[in-house]
């Protein structure tokens, strides 16, 4: 870990790429893990845009706990470590596959959510927007939150199967990856494409790759450093950069 801390101190622009592994540390089930959503009946319909248009209740029923229960969860040590590194001017942005909004809760300001986000919901028909909190309030009295103007369902800005990835977040993520001199992969097995190809762009642009993940990833071969233990990384960072310390 010492060599990683030194590497971070000597980098000018660090990008973070995060996945489910950093959130399972806070008790949030991995969508693809054994407790995750994809084990539920109806699983492949829940995040399918065609099914959502047909019957939005499938999504809202399936995600009542997993998405709208996210209010109960707090960021974990890795989220805090990443936010601390941004405050110290080392991390220039976070690219995340997660839809749990925990980086923002921990204080990270530059977050590119490449699989979308439930932070905003839009009416399928007129495009009217509601915040996550507004939708949570509506769900207390209705199974499917609907637009007060046209009666259509509100859909979260999470990227569903059958939808394009969020173009703006994706383009910004690629720009960040290409200008970074160090890409730090945290808790992603780098298997869900195309987002998982982003870290290799840093290497192709001449930067270095460091991967911290419990399992091997397809990019291990081009990484400079590999670590299995996310909690040890968070401890080392929070130890090296105590609150308010400039780099
Ligand atoms: Zn509407």
């Amino acid at each position: 870990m010492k060599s990683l801390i030194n590497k971070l101190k000597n980098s000018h622009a660090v990008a973070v790429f995060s996945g489910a592994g950093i959130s399972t540390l806070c008790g949030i089930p991995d969508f693809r893990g054994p407790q995750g959503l994809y084990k539920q009946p109806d699983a492949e319909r829940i995040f399918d845009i065609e099914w959502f248009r047909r019957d939005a209740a499938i999504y809202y029923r399936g995600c009542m706990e997993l998405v709208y229960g996210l209010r109960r969860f707090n960021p974990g040590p890795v989220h805090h470590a990443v936010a601390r590194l941004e405050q110290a001017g080392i991390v220039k942005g976070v690219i995340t596959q997660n839809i749990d909004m925990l980086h923002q809760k921990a204080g990270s300001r530059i977050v590119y959510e490449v699989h979308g986000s439930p932070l905003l919901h839009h009416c399928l028909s007129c495009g009217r927007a509601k915040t996550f909190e507004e939708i949570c309030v509506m769900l207390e009295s209705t199974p499917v939150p609907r637009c007060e103007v046209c009666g259509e369902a509100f859909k979260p800005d999470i990227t569903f199967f059958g939808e394009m990835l969020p173009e703006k977040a994706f383009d910004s993520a690629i720009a960040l990856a290409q200008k970074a001199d160090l890409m730090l992969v945290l808790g992603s097995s780098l298997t869900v494409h195309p987002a998982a190809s982003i870290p290799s762009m840093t290497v192709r642009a001449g930067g270095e790759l460091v991967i911290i993940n419990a399992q091997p990833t397809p990019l291990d071969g081009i990484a400079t450093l590999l670590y299995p233990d996310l909690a040890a990384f968070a401890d080392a960072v929070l130890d090296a950069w105590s609150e308010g310390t400039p780099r």
Side-chain angles (χ1 to χ4, degrees):
M1 246 347 130
K2 214 171 188 173
S3 44
L4 175 57
I5 296 299
N6 283 333
K7 228 179 241 307
L8 288 170
K9 285 182 172 163
N10 293 320
S11 298
H12 300 289
V14 176
V16 167
F17 184 95
S18 72
I22 71 168
S23 295
T24 48
L25 280 185
C26 329
I28 295 180
D30 182 347
F31 276 46
R32 290 173 305 280
Q35 306 299 318
L37 185 63
Y38 291 153
K39 297 287 176 189
Q40 289 191 18
D42 272 356
E44 67 276 17
R45 294 181 183 180
I46 289 176
F47 287 112
D48 186 295
I49 188 62
E50 290 309 321
W51 279 102
F52 188 91
R53 287 182 199 285
R54 225 177 288 180
D55 182 6
I58 297 172
Y59 162 79
Y60 280 106
R61 209 167 40 227
C63 288
M64 205 53 190
E65 268 305 296
L66 214 57
V67 174
Y68 302 96
L70 286 169
R71 281 187 294 182
R72 295 194 314 271
F73 289 95
N74 290 315
V78 181
H79 299 100
H80 288 300
V82 169
R84 191 71 57 80
L85 286 171
E86 185 184 306
Q87 282 158 18
I90 294 168
V91 162
K92 303 299 182 194
V94 181
I95 303 160
T96 188
Q97 298 173 293
N98 300 338
I99 56 166
D100 52 35
M101 308 167 285
L102 290 179
H103 282 297
Q104 294 93 324
K105 243 189 204 175
S108 286
R109 280 166 304 165
I110 303 174
V111 182
Y112 303 123
E113 297 165 300
V114 288
H115 291 168
S117 168
L119 266 177
L120 282 180
H121 287 54
H122 285 90
C123 167
L124 275 179
S125 172
C126 73
R128 180 173 295 252
K130 292 272 185 217
T131 64
F132 180 75
E133 292 302 329
E134 287 171 324
I135 294 292
C136 286
V137 170
M138 292 171 88
L139 282 170
E140 286 166 15
S141 55
T142 177
V144 176
R146 293 189 179 278
C147 179
E148 52 274 61
V149 178
C150 50
E152 260 293 1
F154 282 105
K155 182 197 162 285
D157 289 359
I158 298 166
T159 308
F160 279 34
F161 296 111
E163 283 190 306
M164 300 285 288
L165 288 169
E167 198 177 351
K168 206 168 144 222
F170 210 75
D171 289 350
S172 304
I174 290 171
L176 174 65
Q178 288 173 335
K179 80 164 189 199
D181 56 4
L182 178 64
M183 170 64 76
L184 200 53
V185 171
L186 301 175
S188 172
S189 50
L190 300 176
T191 50
V192 183
H193 287 280
S197 60
I198 292 175
S200 64
M201 293 174 187
T202 301
V203 178
R204 258 180 280 149
E208 277 187 69
L209 176 65
V210 172
I211 299 175
I212 309 175
N213 194 51
Q215 291 87 28
T217 83
L219 293 188
D220 285 2
I222 57 168
T224 315
L225 295 171
L226 296 168
Y227 301 94
D229 189 350
L230 284 160
F233 160 77
D235 283 349
V237 166
L238 293 171
D239 198 45
W241 285 274
S242 46
E243 200 132 22
T245 317
R247 64 184 297 171

